[in-house]
Amino acid sequence: MNQSEIREQNIQKVLETAQNLFLDNGVADTSINRIAEACGLSPMSIYRYFKTKDILATRVWHLSMTMFYEQYYMPAYRQEAANLTNGYEKFLACTRVYIRYYTEHPEWFAYTREMFQIASRVNEIDEKQYKDENWKGFFREIPIPLLKALSEGKEDGSVRPDVNIYEVYQVFTNVYTGTTIYDSFTEGVTTLGIMRYTAQLLAENIRNKPAG
């Protein structure tokens, strides 16, 4: 194995190890030294690969998003939507699966929240490529299947014909990202509660109800 192959193997090991530690302990409470120890590498080696902890965290998040949608979200959604007959019902299933999964797996919600906060502060020029890569990954994955369900709903008549599906998607996305970045200033209000309520409001607004 040549030096390039060893380097790539080490990078992948760091990414996978860091992901497990971030999920178990949180990003803030996982040091580079702890990651290095678990990988059998030196901290300096990790810094050579990633320059800063935030760069490493955003690279890991890209890997995590792919895992979340391919291994967890999409299988659960396909099962939920298997016998649904129209796009409106599939839209409801989309939001239910998001909220249910994060409710049942608070470690993923806490991790997502930390990562949105990190992404919101990543402004250094050297980190821009990693920031852009991860936000593009997020906005590529989230519409699947949300926008598809809304589009199907307009085609089959279950979603109101005058509804702008991109506005609906943007509202849900804004709430999803906003509730993870910012703390609620109202006592007794939870981030998942806000997401659930927003989904209910959107569902009521976009449904194409029979006349009369």
Side-chain angles (χ1 to χ4, degrees), residues 32-184:
I32 290 293
N33 286 348
R34 176 69 185 89
I35 296 168
E37 179 184 5
C39 290
L41 298 171
S42 70
M44 287 303 299
S45 294
I46 294 180
Y47 282 119
R48 279 199 299 270
Y49 298 145
F50 299 101
K51 294 187 179 180
T52 71
K53 183 180 175 182
D54 276 356
I55 288 179
L56 170 60
T58 54
R59 287 287 301 275
V60 172
W61 195 39
H62 182 72
L63 177 68
S64 299
M65 282 192 295
T66 301
M67 172 185 289
F68 178 84
Y69 284 98
E70 290 182 355
Q71 297 185 22
Y72 304 128
Y73 181 82
M74 288 306 296
Y77 170 72
R78 291 190 187 103
Q79 182 176 6
E80 182 114 356
N83 298 315
L84 300 181
T85 59
N86 62 58
Y88 176 76
E89 293 176 343
K90 292 177 182 178
F91 169 79
L92 297 181
C94 290
T95 59
R96 281 199 304 270
V97 172
Y98 276 120
I99 295 166
R100 185 176 67 236
Y101 190 86
Y102 283 131
T103 300
E104 294 174 352
H105 298 275
E107 74 280 6
W108 269 100
F109 190 77
Y111 174 45
T112 300
R113 182 171 191 174
E114 271 199 282
M115 285 312 308
F116 277 134
Q117 292 169 341
I118 289 171
S120 71
R121 71 170 186 255
V122 172
N123 294 312
E124 297 176 16
I125 294 176
D126 287 346
E127 295 173 348
K128 186 177 186 302
Q129 62 175 311
Y130 302 109
K131 174 186 173 185
D132 290 347
E133 176 186 350
N134 282 279
W135 279 114
K136 287 177 182 177
F138 170 74
F139 288 114
R140 183 183 65 248
E141 299 288 1
I142 284 290
I144 304 172
L146 194 66
L147 274 178
K148 183 178 179 181
L150 289 166
S151 179
E152 288 181 13
K154 292 194 73 170
E155 290 176 5
D156 63 36
S158 60
V159 170
R160 282 172 35 206
D162 61 319
V163 166
N164 185 322
I165 63 175
Y166 297 99
E167 290 178 350
V168 175
Y169 155 68
Q170 190 65 59
V171 168
F172 187 80
T173 303
N174 286 352
V175 170
Y176 178 70
T177 57
T179 55
T180 52
I181 292 174
Y182 302 107
D183 289 317
S184 171

Side-chain angles (χ1 to χ4, degrees), residues 192-205:
L192 288 177
I194 295 171
M195 286 181 62
R196 187 179 295 106
Y197 184 60
T198 302
Q200 291 171 352
L201 290 177
L202 289 173
E204 181 64 23
N205 184 63

